[in-house]
Amino acid sequence: MQDSFVYQMLPARVVFGHGTSATLPAEAERLGLRRLLVLSTPEQVALAQRIQQLLGDRAPSTFNTATMHTPVEVTKRALEVVEAERIDGVVAVGGGSTIGLGKAIALRTDLPQIVLPTTYAGSEMTPILGETDDGRKTTQRSPKIQPEVVIYDVDLTLSLPLMMSALSAFNALAHAVEALYAPDSNPIVAMMAEEGVRAIVDALPKVLKEPDDPRARATLLYGAWLCACCLGVTTMGLHHKLCHTLGGMFDLPHAQTHAIVLPYALAYNAPMVPEAMSRLCRAMRSDDAIGALLRLERDCRIPLALRDIGMPREGIARAVKQALSNPYGNPRPVESVALAELLEHAWAGTGI
């Protein structure tokens, strides 16, 4: 165990369970909020309307055009509603796109956020915001970005399609994997990361067989929460840098990109992080963590190549250049030739 470390706890209130959406009015009252804006994507308008009805007079308006990668122009439109409706807080209902919009609003206004996640992506537990402007995705940290309340309602995940469930779960796994070898990791983070991976790897096959199994869904959501906590308190490395670069440059779907890149980024770093690999092997009950990840992806029928989700091969050189443009921590030095080779393999779905 490390003899010396720093662990920064995040000031978020978490309500976890079945049917916990019903606590939303009480949580709004606790924060003293009277005019909430309910956020969602176009696909989740019906759910946003249910939440608006649950809040009654506390939710005078909704904004239902949250978009992947949090484009700055969408945030500007949402801010116009915030000002016109004299909004004093936001409720984000959905996955990373909606939660990202709530964070972008909070960064600019310091309004309180309540989040009801419907996926396993984990953005709700971090003070991190990724925004896209003119084809470039940038990230930043700020206390303003951290949501004040997260309501995990397992019931909201029961209808999440199987493919999206699997992709979102792999997104969560990526948070824990990189946290295990982050330069600012510590024993608390390592414990959460290992337990988060174990819970997800145990629960995901059960969810694939019985999507309506509430216990399996609860375990999957619990694991994703732990993985998200790791993301919130450590510095991410090559994997997340690549995913943000590729997503911003080529508008690739966020969760699919994470799922495809994860085993390649892990293989790149594995020789330098034996303790992290040992923890992953233990959590996955395998002596080959990377092989276990790939087998689970195949079982979930997840795309295994970047070309399958729309990345052009000729974009590899541009992606390498942008990924190298800003230094970031990673256990193995990131060099252009090795990074290009990694992306070539990830583009083709070969090489592991």
Side-chain angles (χ1 to χ4, degrees), residues 103-187:
K103 288 178 166 184
I105 293 170
L107 177 64
R108 292 161 172 82
T109 63
D110 207 17
L111 291 178
Q113 304 170 73
I114 302 176
V115 180
L116 289 86
T118 60
T119 74
Y120 308 112
S123 175
E124 65 279 354
M125 292 305 299
T126 78
I128 305 167
L129 170 64
E131 295 183 290
T132 305
D133 190 12
D134 194 26
R136 187 178 184 91
K137 189 168 186 177
T138 58
T139 60
Q140 57 183 307
R141 286 177 179 256
S142 168
K144 292 182 179 180
I145 294 171
Q146 178 71 47
E148 279 71 14
V149 177
V150 179
I151 300 175
Y152 285 110
D153 188 342
V154 178
D155 297 346
L156 294 183
T157 69
L158 294 176
S159 60
L160 187 65
L162 284 181
M163 179 56 71
M164 195 62 238
S165 296
L167 289 167
S168 183
F170 269 88
N171 193 353
L173 284 172
H175 306 329
V177 168
E178 286 221 308
L180 282 171
Y181 54 68
D184 47 1
S185 189
N186 59 66

Side-chain angles (χ1 to χ4, degrees), residues 211-231:
D212 299 329
D213 181 350
R215 294 187 65 181
R217 287 282 187 177
T219 301
L220 192 54
L221 189 59
Y222 161 73
W225 167 49
L226 290 176
C227 294
C229 290
C230 297
L231 173 66

Side-chain angles (χ1 to χ4, degrees), residues 179-261:
L180 282 171
Y181 54 68
D184 47 1
S185 189
N186 59 66
I188 308 304
V189 168
M191 179 174 61
M192 290 192 296
E194 186 174 337
E195 171 66 4
V197 172
R198 182 207 60 76
I200 289 176
V201 171
D202 281 356
L204 186 52
K206 297 174 184 176
V207 169
L208 293 176
K209 292 179 181 178
E210 295 186 58
D212 299 329
D213 181 350
R215 294 187 65 181
R217 287 282 187 177
T219 301
L220 192 54
L221 189 59
Y222 161 73
W225 167 49
L226 290 176
C227 294
C229 290
C230 297
L231 173 66
V233 297
T234 58
T235 303
M236 296 290 102
L238 175 63
H239 171 83
H240 281 78
K241 181 67 174 181
L242 278 179
C243 290
H244 287 158
T245 297
L246 297 173
M249 290 187 75
F250 307 113
D251 198 31
L252 302 183
H254 184 77
Q256 285 94 325
T257 305
H258 273 278
I260 292 169
V261 171

Side-chain angles (χ1 to χ4, degrees), residues 36 51-52 70 88 102 108 157 168 170 175 245 265 316 336 351:
L36 288 156
I51 295 301
Q52 185 182 26
T70 319
D88 63 3
R108 292 161 172 82
T157 69
S168 183
F170 269 88
H175 306 329
T245 297
I316 291 174
S336 59

Side-chain angles (χ1 to χ4, degrees), residues 264 304-307 343-350:
Y264 293 94
L304 297 177
L306 290 170
R307 63 182 178 183
L343 285 176
E344 284 281 359
H345 287 313
W347 181 85
T350 61

